[in-house]
């Protein structure tokens, strides 16, 4: 019987303790495990390679993404580094989105400059550009949807099919929606990847990553390399992540409901020049989002109709939105793309990517939506005053 995701998130790994009958799986901090006898190891020998607490959370994550198995890594970046290590040799081509996560862009760009592989940054919503990149016979194609910070959506099923026909392994960075709202493996991707730091943990107190594979042999190869290069996730992070994961589905539902309420309010606000959210018909890829996502998500962006002084007044007037990078926690966060997440880009590159100097991004939390709206309203009043 296939179980629904809320059930998987809550029950995966419960009641596994034989010794005391613990309902909640205990945390196993030991770095090493004794041998039963000469040349007779147990299931685990060393915690970099395998750890019972990490096993439990990996199983839960694999089930949530409908994959064969999962490999937990110590950061989202090391999950990305792991897949490029496994699937790319010098001379091989990686196709990545032109508007991918800034850390991913920096990783691929710097590794390519060292000759580890070649990278083509492509607008995957542009059919001709994608076809030209696939004609280069890439070994790996990375998809990231919705994008950061403009929440553009691309067609996972189509891109993964084209990638497969071109002989490439496909991987979808599913961080922005979580498995509760989008399942890349059921749409044809070979791999799903997350920064668990975001929605999966959901409480802004863990940094971790995961790769989930559809094929058990691919999962085994990833696990072998994760141990080999030493990027596996720690027992303590695994424990916290499993605890955060229990509430994934209700957290996502509430954050998403709040985001829709904020959008309704922001649409009435004269200081908002432009809004970005996959639920909006004018958003790039809205129709694809309706088809491939189970919800529109809780990330939204908007351009303020004003200058830097107005942004300062607006941000200074907020009390329920913390000025911080990252996303996906229970608390609402706001960030200014030009000086924070996309500060590494040249102003011209930002403009070319459509990221305005007055763009603000909100990661909607699970506070009461009426309080959040009242806080925004107050900050807009302060921003409007000179
Ligand atoms: C945060 C993030 C990453 C990197 O993950 P870390 O856990 O910060 O290393 C990768 N992709 C996306 C979409 C992210 O938001």
């Amino acid at each position: 019987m296939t179980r629904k995701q809320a059930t998987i998130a809550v029950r995966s790994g419960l009641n596994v303790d034989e010794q005391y009958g613990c309902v909640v799986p205990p945390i196993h901090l030991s770095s090493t495990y004794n041998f039963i006898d000469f040349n007779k190891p147990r299931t685990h020998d060393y915690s970099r390679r395998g750890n019972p607490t990490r096993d439990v959370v990996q199983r839960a994550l694999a089930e949530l993404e409908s994959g064969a198995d999962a490999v937990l890594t110590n950061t989202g970046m090391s999950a990305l580094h792991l897949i490029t290590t496994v699937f790319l040799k010098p001379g091989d081509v990686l196709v990545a989105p032109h508007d991918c996560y800034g850390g991913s862009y920096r990783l691929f760009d710097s590794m390519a400059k060292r000759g580890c592989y070649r990278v083509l940054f492509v607008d995957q919503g542009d059919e001709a550009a994608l076809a030209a990149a696939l004609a280069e016979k890439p070994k790996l194609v990375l998809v990231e949807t919705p994008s950061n910070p403009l929440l553009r959506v691309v067609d996972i099923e189509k891109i993964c099919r084209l990638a497969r026909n071109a002989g490439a392994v496909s991987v979808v960075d599913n961080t922005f929606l979580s498995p509760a709202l989008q399942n890349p493996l059921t749409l044809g991707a070979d791999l799903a990847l997350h920064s668990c730091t975001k929605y999966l943990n959901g409480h802004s107190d863990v940094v971790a990553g995961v790769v989930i594979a559809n094929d058990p042999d691919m999962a085994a190869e990833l696990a072998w390399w994760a141990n080999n290069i030493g990027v596996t996730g720690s027992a303590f992070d695994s424990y916290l992540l499993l605890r955060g994961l229990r509430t994934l589905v209700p957290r996502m539902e509430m954050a998403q409901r709040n985001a829709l309420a904020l959008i309704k309010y922001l649409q009435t606000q004269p200081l908002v020049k432009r809004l970005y959210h996959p639920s909006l018909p004018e958003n790039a890829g809205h129709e694809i989002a309706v088809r491939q996502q189970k919800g529109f998500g809780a990330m939204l962006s908007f351009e303020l109709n004003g200058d830097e002084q107005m942004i300062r007044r607006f941000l200074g007037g907020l009390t329920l939105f913390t000025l911080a990078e990252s996303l996906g926690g229970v608390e609402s966060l706001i960030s200014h793309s030009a000086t924070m997440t996309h500060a590494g880009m040249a102003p011209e590159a930002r403009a070319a990517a459509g990221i305005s100097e007055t763009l603000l991004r909100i990661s909607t939390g699970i506070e009461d939506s009426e309080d959040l709206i009242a806080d925004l309203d107050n900050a807009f009043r302060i921003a409007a005053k000179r």
Side-chain angles (χ1 to χ4, degrees):
M1 188 180 72
T2 56
R3 299 179 300 172
K4 300 268 196 292
Q5 286 189 306
T7 312
I8 296 167
V10 171
R11 298 211 61 97
S12 186
L14 290 187
N15 306 309
V16 293
D17 175 50
E18 301 274 338
Q19 196 176 6
Y20 296 107
C22 301
V23 172
V24 170
I27 178 168
H28 295 278
L29 292 168
S30 189
S31 58
T32 188
Y33 306 82
N34 60 28
F35 278 57
I36 296 165
D37 204 346
F38 174 74
N39 205 15
K40 257 184 102 179
R42 299 177 189 268
T43 50
H44 295 87
D45 57 6
Y46 189 60
S47 273
R48 168 163 32 79
R49 189 157 81 91
N51 173 284
T53 312
R54 191 164 68 233
D55 291 350
V56 174
V57 77
Q58 286 178 160
R59 190 91 300 281
L61 290 165
E63 265 192 86
L64 284 169
E65 281 289 24
S66 309
D69 221 336
V71 177
L72 191 81
T73 56
N74 56 355
T75 65
M77 289 316 303
S78 64
L80 283 155
H81 192 39
L82 173 65
I83 55 165
T84 55
T85 302
V86 171
F87 297 105
L88 298 170
K89 295 190 191 71
D92 287 350
V93 172
L94 161 68
V95 171
H98 70 307
D99 53 359
C100 65
Y101 175 71
S104 312
Y105 190 98
R106 184 179 58 199
L107 173 71
F108 306 149
D109 184 53
S110 57
M111 296 305 279
K113 281 179 179 147
R114 303 193 120 196
C116 299
Y117 45 79
R118 293 197 295 141
V119 61
L120 300 173
F121 293 105
V122 179
D123 177 354
Q124 297 175 346
D126 176 341
E127 282 189 25
L130 180 64
L134 293 175
E136 299 278 317
K137 296 279 161 208
K139 288 286 191 302
L140 186 64
V141 173
L142 171 72
V143 179
E144 188 183 319
T145 178
S147 72
N148 178 28
L150 299 179
L151 291 316
R152 296 184 184 115
V153 173
V154 293
D155 190 330
I156 294 175
E157 193 273 327
K158 183 169 127 197
I159 299 169
C160 291
R161 179 164 32 83
L162 294 171
R164 171 155 313 177
N165 292 344
V169 168
S170 57
V171 52
V172 177
D173 185 333
N174 200 24
T175 301
F176 264 45
L177 287 176
S178 93
L181 298 182
Q182 180 167 273
N183 294 104
L185 300 187
T186 64
L187 295 167
D190 295 309
L191 304 166
L193 179 146
H194 291 268
S195 166
C196 306
T197 314
K198 317 293 170 50
Y199 286 107
L200 289 172
N201 178 61
H203 294 75
S204 305
D205 54 6
V206 166
V207 176
V210 70
V211 187
I212 300 123
N214 218 1
D215 171 61
D217 293 337
M218 216 181 256
E221 195 183 2
L222 285 160
W224 188 90
W225 275 99
N227 175 56
N228 187 37
I229 61 177
V231 295
T232 50
S234 79
F236 199 71
D237 285 345
S238 300
Y239 177 83
L240 282 176
L241 175 57
L242 185 67
R243 188 181 158 121
L245 206 57
R246 297 303 189 200
T247 54
L248 174 69
V249 172
R251 275 191 288 108
M252 284 308 307
E253 279 174 4
M254 187 154 179
Q256 179 169 251
R257 203 169 340 118
N258 280 354
L260 291 172
L262 295 194
I263 283 164
K264 225 167 146 190
Y265 162 76
L266 290 168
Q267 282 172 327
T268 68
Q269 177 43 251
L271 288 184
V272 172
K273 188 154 66 178
R274 197 155 168 206
L275 258 170
Y276 299 90
H277 188 256
S279 69
L280 302 169
E282 67 271 21
N283 207 70
H286 165 74
E287 269 140 50
I288 302 168
V290 171
R291 215 167 50 231
Q292 81 183 1
Q293 300 177 193
K294 289 184 274 179
F296 293 116
M299 297 299 298
L300 64 99
S301 299
F302 61 95
E303 283 165 23
L304 208 60
N305 198 1
D307 56 7
E308 191 181 308
Q309 288 310 318
M310 186 184 274
I311 290 180
R312 275 178 201 275
R313 289 196 298 274
F314 177 72
L315 293 174
L318 291 169
T319 63
L320 295 181
F321 293 81
T322 303
L323 183 63
E325 292 183 6
S326 197
L327 59 119
V330 289
E331 71 288 340
S332 292
L333 301 178
I334 191 162
S335 64
H336 177 235
S337 303
T339 57
M340 295 169 71
T341 51
H342 292 68
M345 266 169 113
E348 308 79 56
R350 270 200 302 272
I355 301 168
S356 137
E357 299 298 298
T358 66
L359 189 79
L360 295 168
R361 186 191 80 182
I362 287 178
S363 168
T364 316
I366 64 167
E367 301 91 340
D368 189 288
S369 65
E370 286 182 22
D371 288 339
L372 292 177
I373 289 168
D375 198 49
L376 286 174
D377 204 47
N378 186 48
F380 278 119
R381 244 194 307 275
I382 293 168
K385 281 194 209 130
R386 302 238 152 222

